Amino acid sequence: MGEYVKSKKDMRFQSQGALKTVQSVIDDADLALNDKSRRMSDSPIGEALAGAVGVGVGAGIGFAGLYLGGSVVGLSAAGITSGLAAAGGLIGGGMVAGIAVLAAPAVALGGISMGVASHVRNKKLREAKELIYKNAIAKQTAIVKALKQETDADKERIDYLNGLNILLQAAIKDLKHDLGIS
C-alpha cells in the first residue's frame, strides 16, 4: 500500500464538495439496483452515464493588542501610535518595532490555528474518501452482479448499468490514488 496523497494539487478529490459527485453516482446506483425498470433517462446524471458508455471502460476517466496596549486607550490615531510605541519600547524600539512585537503573536497564533484547522480538514477529507471508497466498491460490485443477472434486460437498461459501472470504476481508481492504495 502506498501513502495517502497530502498535496492538494496531487489529489483527484481536493475537497468534500468534490466527493459529492461520487456520492451522486453511488446514490444513482442504489436506485438502479432497487428498481429494475430504471433507465438512463430516469437518472439525474444520465448525460454523464451516456458519456461514460460512449468513452468505454478502457479510457480511464479521471472523477487584538493595540486597544489596551498604550497610554491613550482606544483605536484613535493617538491611541494606536501610543500603543505601537509602548510595544516597541519592550524591545528597545519605537512604533515600527511595536508593529513587529504586536504582530508576531497574531501571526504565530494564526499560523498555528491554520495548521490545526488544515489538519482537521484533511483528516475529515481522508475519512470521507475512505467511506466513499468502500461504498463505491460495494455498489460497483452490486452493479456487476446485476449486469450478470439481468442478461435479458433491454439495451437501455444494460447501457445504464454499464455507465454506472464505468463511473464507479473511475471513482474507485481516483480514490485509490488519493488514499495511496495500489
Side-chain angles (χ1 to χ4, degrees), residues 52-123:
V53 169
V55 170
V57 180
I61 305 166
F63 230 73
L66 280 176
Y67 186 72
L68 299 171
S71 58
V72 179
V73 176
L75 290 176
S76 64
I80 292 171
T81 56
S82 173
L84 288 173
L90 294 173
I91 60 168
M95 286 189 334
V96 174
I99 292 171
V101 168
L102 292 176
V107 170
L109 289 173
I112 291 168
S113 297
M114 285 178 58
V116 169
S118 177
H119 176 74
V120 169
R121 235 183 356 265
N122 285 335
K123 184 178 180 201

Coordinates of all heavy atoms in Angstrom, one line a residue, residues 52-123:
A52 N -20.0 8.2 -20.3 CA -19.2 7.1 -19.9 C -19.3 5.9 -20.7 O -18.3 5.2 -21.1 CB -19.5 6.7 -18.4
V53 N -20.5 5.6 -21.1 CA -20.7 4.4 -22.0 C -20.1 4.7 -23.4 O -19.4 3.8 -23.9 CB -22.3 4.1 -22.2 CG1 -22.5 3.1 -23.3 CG2 -22.9 3.7 -20.9
G54 N -20.2 5.9 -23.8 CA -19.6 6.3 -25.1 C -18.1 6.2 -25.1 O -17.4 5.8 -26.0
V55 N -17.4 6.6 -24.0 CA -16.0 6.5 -23.8 C -15.5 5.1 -23.6 O -14.5 4.7 -24.2 CB -15.5 7.4 -22.7 CG1 -14.1 7.2 -22.4 CG2 -15.8 8.9 -23.0
G56 N -16.3 4.4 -22.8 CA -15.9 3.0 -22.6 C -15.1 2.7 -21.4 O -14.5 3.7 -20.8
V57 N -14.9 1.5 -21.0 CA -14.2 1.1 -19.8 C -12.7 1.4 -19.9 O -12.1 1.9 -19.0 CB -14.4 -0.4 -19.6 CG1 -13.6 -0.9 -18.3 CG2 -15.8 -0.8 -19.5
G58 N -12.1 1.2 -21.0 CA -10.6 1.3 -21.1 C -10.1 2.7 -21.1 O -8.9 3.0 -21.0
A59 N -10.9 3.8 -21.1 CA -10.5 5.1 -21.2 C -9.8 5.6 -20.0 O -9.0 6.5 -20.0 CB -11.6 6.0 -21.6
G60 N -10.2 5.1 -18.8 CA -9.6 5.6 -17.5 C -10.0 7.0 -17.2 O -9.1 7.8 -17.0
I61 N -11.3 7.3 -17.1 CA -11.8 8.6 -16.8 C -11.2 9.1 -15.4 O -11.3 8.3 -14.4 CB -13.3 8.6 -16.7 CG1 -13.9 8.1 -18.0 CG2 -13.8 10.0 -16.4 CD1 -15.3 7.7 -17.9
G62 N -10.7 10.1 -15.4 CA -10.1 10.6 -14.1 C -11.0 11.5 -13.2 O -11.7 12.3 -13.7
F63 N -12.6 11.0 -12.0 CA -13.7 11.5 -11.3 C -13.1 12.4 -10.1 O -12.7 11.8 -9.5 CB -14.6 10.6 -11.1 CG -16.0 10.2 -11.2 CD1 -16.8 10.0 -11.9 CD2 -16.7 10.2 -10.6 CE1 -18.0 9.7 -12.0 CE2 -18.0 9.9 -10.7 CZ -18.5 9.7 -11.4
A64 N -6.2 40.6 19.0 CA -6.4 42.1 19.2 C -5.6 42.9 20.2 O -6.1 43.5 21.0 CB -7.8 42.3 19.4
G65 N -4.1 43.5 20.5 CA -3.2 44.0 21.4 C -3.1 45.5 21.4 O -2.8 46.1 22.4
L66 N -3.5 46.2 20.3 CA -3.4 47.6 20.2 C -4.4 48.3 21.2 O -4.1 49.4 21.7 CB -3.7 48.1 18.8 CG -2.6 48.0 17.8 CD1 -3.1 48.4 16.4 CD2 -1.4 48.8 18.2
Y67 N -5.6 47.8 21.3 CA -6.6 48.5 22.1 C -6.3 48.9 23.5 O -6.5 50.0 24.0 CB -7.9 47.7 22.0 CG -9.1 48.4 22.6 CD1 -9.7 49.5 21.9 CD2 -9.6 48.1 23.8 CE1 -10.8 50.1 22.5 CE2 -10.7 48.7 24.4 CZ -11.3 49.8 23.7 OH -12.3 50.4 24.2
L68 N -5.6 48.0 24.2 CA -5.3 48.2 25.6 C -3.8 48.4 25.8 O -3.3 48.6 26.9 CB -5.7 47.0 26.5 CG -7.2 46.8 26.5 CD1 -7.5 45.4 27.2 CD2 -8.0 47.9 27.1
G69 N -3.0 48.5 24.8 CA -1.5 48.5 24.9 C -0.9 49.8 25.3 O 0.2 49.8 25.9
G70 N -1.4 51.0 24.9 CA -0.7 52.2 25.1 C -1.3 53.1 26.2 O -2.2 52.7 27.0
S71 N -0.7 54.3 26.4 CA -1.2 55.2 27.4 C -2.5 55.9 27.0 O -3.2 56.4 27.9 CB -0.1 56.3 27.7 OG 0.2 57.0 26.5
V72 N -2.8 56.0 25.7 CA -4.0 56.5 25.2 C -4.9 55.3 24.8 O -4.5 54.7 23.8 CB -3.8 57.5 24.1 CG1 -5.2 58.0 23.6 CG2 -2.9 58.6 24.5
V73 N -5.9 55.1 25.5 CA -6.7 53.9 25.3 C -7.7 54.1 24.1 O -8.3 55.2 24.0 CB -7.5 53.5 26.5 CG1 -8.4 52.3 26.2 CG2 -6.6 53.1 27.6
G74 N -7.7 53.2 23.2 CA -8.7 53.3 22.1 C -8.0 53.1 20.8 O -6.8 52.9 20.7
L75 N -8.7 53.2 19.7 CA -8.2 53.0 18.3 C -8.1 54.3 17.6 O -8.2 54.3 16.3 CB -9.1 51.9 17.6 CG -8.9 50.5 18.1 CD1 -9.9 49.6 17.4 CD2 -7.5 50.0 18.0
S76 N -8.0 55.4 18.3 CA -7.7 56.6 17.6 C -6.3 56.6 17.1 O -5.5 55.8 17.5 CB -7.9 57.8 18.6 OG -7.0 57.7 19.6
A77 N -5.9 57.6 16.3 CA -4.5 57.7 15.8 C -3.6 57.8 17.0 O -2.5 57.1 17.0 CB -4.3 58.9 14.9
A78 N -3.9 58.6 18.0 CA -3.0 58.8 19.2 C -3.0 57.5 20.0 O -1.9 57.1 20.4 CB -3.6 59.9 20.1
G79 N -4.1 56.8 20.1 CA -4.1 55.5 20.8 C -3.3 54.5 20.1 O -2.5 53.7 20.7
I80 N -3.4 54.4 18.8 CA -2.6 53.4 18.0 C -1.1 53.7 18.1 O -0.3 52.8 18.4 CB -3.1 53.4 16.6 CG1 -4.5 52.8 16.5 CG2 -2.2 52.6 15.7 CD1 -5.2 53.0 15.2
T81 N -0.7 55.0 17.8 CA 0.7 55.3 17.9 C 1.3 55.1 19.3 O 2.4 54.6 19.4 CB 1.0 56.7 17.4 OG1 0.2 57.7 18.2 CG2 0.6 56.9 15.9
S82 N 0.5 55.5 20.3 CA 1.0 55.3 21.7 C 1.1 53.8 22.0 O 2.1 53.4 22.6 CB -0.1 55.9 22.6 OG 0.3 55.6 23.9
G83 N 0.2 53.0 21.5 CA 0.3 51.6 21.7 C 1.5 50.9 21.0 O 2.2 50.1 21.5
L84 N 1.7 51.4 19.8 CA 2.8 50.8 19.0 C 4.1 51.2 19.6 O 5.1 50.4 19.7 CB 2.8 51.4 17.6 CG 1.7 50.7 16.7 CD1 1.6 51.5 15.3 CD2 1.9 49.3 16.5
A85 N 4.2 52.5 20.1 CA 5.5 52.9 20.7 C 5.7 52.2 22.0 O 6.9 51.8 22.3 CB 5.4 54.4 21.0
A86 N 4.7 51.9 22.8 CA 4.8 51.2 24.1 C 5.3 49.8 23.8 O 6.2 49.2 24.4 CB 3.5 51.2 24.8
A87 N 4.7 49.2 22.8 CA 5.0 47.8 22.4 C 6.5 47.7 21.9 O 7.2 46.8 22.3 CB 4.1 47.2 21.4
G88 N 6.8 48.7 21.1 CA 8.2 48.8 20.5 C 9.2 49.0 21.6 O 10.4 48.5 21.5
G89 N 8.8 49.8 22.7 CA 9.7 50.0 23.8 C 10.1 48.7 24.5 O 11.2 48.7 25.2
L90 N 9.3 47.7 24.4 CA 9.6 46.5 25.1 C 10.9 45.8 24.5 O 11.6 45.1 25.2 CB 8.5 45.5 24.9 CG 7.2 45.8 25.6 CD1 6.1 44.8 25.2 CD2 7.4 45.8 27.1
I91 N 11.2 46.1 23.3 CA 12.5 45.6 22.7 C 13.4 46.7 22.3 O 14.3 46.5 21.4 CB 12.1 44.7 21.4 CG1 11.4 45.5 20.3 CG2 11.3 43.5 21.9 CD1 11.3 44.7 19.0
G92 N 13.3 47.9 22.9 CA 14.2 48.9 22.6 C 14.0 49.7 21.3 O 14.9 50.3 20.8
G93 N 12.8 49.7 20.8 CA 12.5 50.3 19.5 C 11.3 51.3 19.7 O 10.9 51.6 20.8
G94 N 10.8 51.8 18.6 CA 9.7 52.7 18.6 C 8.5 52.1 18.0 O 8.3 50.8 18.2
M95 N 7.7 52.9 17.3 CA 6.4 52.4 16.7 C 6.6 51.3 15.7 O 5.9 50.3 15.7 CB 5.7 53.6 16.1 CG 5.1 54.5 17.0 SD 4.0 55.8 16.3 CE 4.5 55.9 14.6
V96 N 7.7 51.4 14.9 CA 7.9 50.4 13.9 C 8.2 49.0 14.5 O 7.6 48.0 14.1 CB 9.0 50.8 12.9 CG1 9.3 49.7 11.9 CG2 8.6 52.0 12.1
A97 N 9.0 49.0 15.5 CA 9.3 47.8 16.3 C 8.0 47.3 17.0 O 7.8 46.1 17.1 CB 10.4 48.0 17.3
G98 N 7.2 48.2 17.4 CA 5.9 47.9 18.0 C 5.0 47.1 17.1 O 4.3 46.2 17.6
I99 N 5.1 47.4 15.8 CA 4.3 46.6 14.9 C 4.7 45.1 14.9 O 3.9 44.2 15.0 CB 4.4 47.2 13.5 CG1 3.8 48.6 13.4 CG2 3.8 46.3 12.4 CD1 4.0 49.3 12.1
A100 N 6.0 44.9 14.9 CA 6.6 43.6 14.9 C 6.2 42.8 16.2 O 5.8 41.7 16.2 CB 8.1 43.6 14.7
V101 N 6.3 43.6 17.4 CA 6.0 43.0 18.7 C 4.6 42.6 18.7 O 4.2 41.5 19.2 CB 6.4 44.0 19.8 CG1 5.8 43.5 21.1 CG2 7.9 44.2 19.9
L102 N 3.7 43.4 18.3 CA 2.3 43.1 18.3 C 1.8 42.2 17.3 O 0.9 41.4 17.5 CB 1.4 44.4 18.2 CG 1.6 45.4 19.4 CD1 0.8 46.7 19.2 CD2 1.1 44.7 20.7
A103 N 2.4 42.2 16.2 CA 2.0 41.3 15.1 C 2.5 39.9 15.3 O 1.9 38.9 14.9 CB 2.5 41.8 13.7
A104 N 3.7 39.7 15.9 CA 4.3 38.4 16.0 C 3.4 37.3 16.6 O 3.2 36.2 16.1 CB 5.6 38.5 16.7
P105 N 2.8 37.7 17.8 CA 1.9 36.6 18.4 C 0.7 36.3 17.5 O 0.3 35.2 17.4 CB 1.4 37.3 19.7 CG 2.4 38.3 20.0 CD 2.9 38.8 18.7
A106 N 0.1 37.4 16.9 CA -1.0 37.1 16.0 C -0.6 36.3 14.8 O -1.4 35.3 14.4 CB -1.6 38.4 15.5
V107 N 0.5 36.5 14.2 CA 1.0 35.8 13.1 C 1.2 34.3 13.5 O 0.8 33.4 12.8 CB 2.2 36.4 12.4 CG1 2.9 35.5 11.4 CG2 1.9 37.7 11.8
A108 N 1.9 34.2 14.6 CA 2.2 32.8 15.1 C 0.9 32.0 15.5 O 0.8 30.9 15.1 CB 3.1 32.9 16.4
L109 N 0.0 32.7 16.2 CA -1.2 32.0 16.5 C -2.1 31.7 15.3 O -2.7 30.7 15.2 CB -2.0 32.8 17.5 CG -1.4 32.9 19.0 CD1 -2.2 33.9 19.8 CD2 -1.4 31.5 19.6
G110 N -2.0 32.7 14.4 CA -2.8 32.5 13.1 C -2.2 31.3 12.4 O -3.0 30.5 11.8
G111 N -0.9 31.2 12.3 CA -0.3 30.1 11.6 C -0.6 28.8 12.3 O -0.9 27.8 11.6
I112 N -0.5 28.8 13.6 CA -0.8 27.5 14.3 C -2.3 27.1 14.1 O -2.6 26.0 13.8 CB -0.5 27.7 15.8 CG1 1.0 27.8 16.0 CG2 -1.1 26.6 16.7 CD1 1.4 28.2 17.4
S113 N -3.2 28.1 14.2 CA -4.6 27.9 14.0 C -4.9 27.3 12.6 O -5.7 26.4 12.5 CB -5.4 29.2 14.3 OG -5.3 29.6 15.6
M114 N -4.3 28.0 11.6 CA -4.5 27.5 10.3 C -4.0 26.1 10.1 O -4.6 25.2 9.4 CB -3.8 28.4 9.3 CG -4.5 29.7 9.1 SD -3.7 30.8 7.9 CE -3.6 29.9 6.5
G115 N -2.8 25.8 10.7 CA -2.3 24.4 10.6 C -3.2 23.4 11.3 O -3.4 22.3 10.7
V116 N -3.7 23.7 12.5 CA -4.6 22.8 13.2 C -5.9 22.6 12.3 O -6.4 21.5 12.1 CB -4.9 23.3 14.6 CG1 -6.1 22.5 15.2 CG2 -3.7 23.3 15.5
A117 N -6.4 23.7 11.8 CA -7.7 23.6 11.1 C -7.4 22.8 9.8 O -8.3 22.0 9.4 CB -8.2 25.0 10.7
S118 N -6.3 23.1 9.1 CA -6.0 22.3 7.9 C -5.8 20.8 8.2 O -6.3 20.0 7.5 CB -4.7 22.9 7.3 OG -4.3 22.1 6.2
H119 N -5.2 20.5 9.3 CA -5.0 19.1 9.7 C -6.4 18.4 9.9 O -6.6 17.3 9.5 CB -4.1 19.0 11.0 CG -4.0 17.6 11.5 ND1 -3.2 16.7 10.8 CD2 -4.6 17.0 12.5 CE1 -3.3 15.5 11.5 NE2 -4.1 15.7 12.5
V120 N -7.2 19.1 10.7 CA -8.6 18.6 11.0 C -9.4 18.4 9.7 O -10.0 17.4 9.4 CB -9.3 19.5 12.0 CG1 -10.8 19.1 12.1 CG2 -8.7 19.4 13.3
R121 N -9.3 19.4 8.8 CA -10.0 19.3 7.5 C -9.5 18.2 6.7 O -10.2 17.4 6.1 CB -9.8 20.7 6.7 CG -11.1 21.3 6.3 CD -10.9 22.6 5.5 NE -9.6 23.1 5.2 CZ -9.0 24.1 6.0 NH1 -9.6 24.6 7.0 NH2 -7.8 24.5 5.7
N122 N -8.1 18.0 6.6 CA -7.5 17.0 5.8 C -7.9 15.6 6.4 O -8.1 14.6 5.7 CB -6.0 17.1 5.7 CG -5.6 18.2 4.8 OD1 -6.4 18.6 3.8 ND2 -4.5 18.8 5.0
K123 N -7.9 15.5 7.7 CA -8.3 14.2 8.4 C -9.8 13.9 8.0 O -10.1 12.7 7.7 CB -8.1 14.3 9.9 CG -8.4 13.0 10.6 CD -8.2 13.1 12.1 CE -8.5 11.8 12.7 NZ -8.8 11.8 14.1

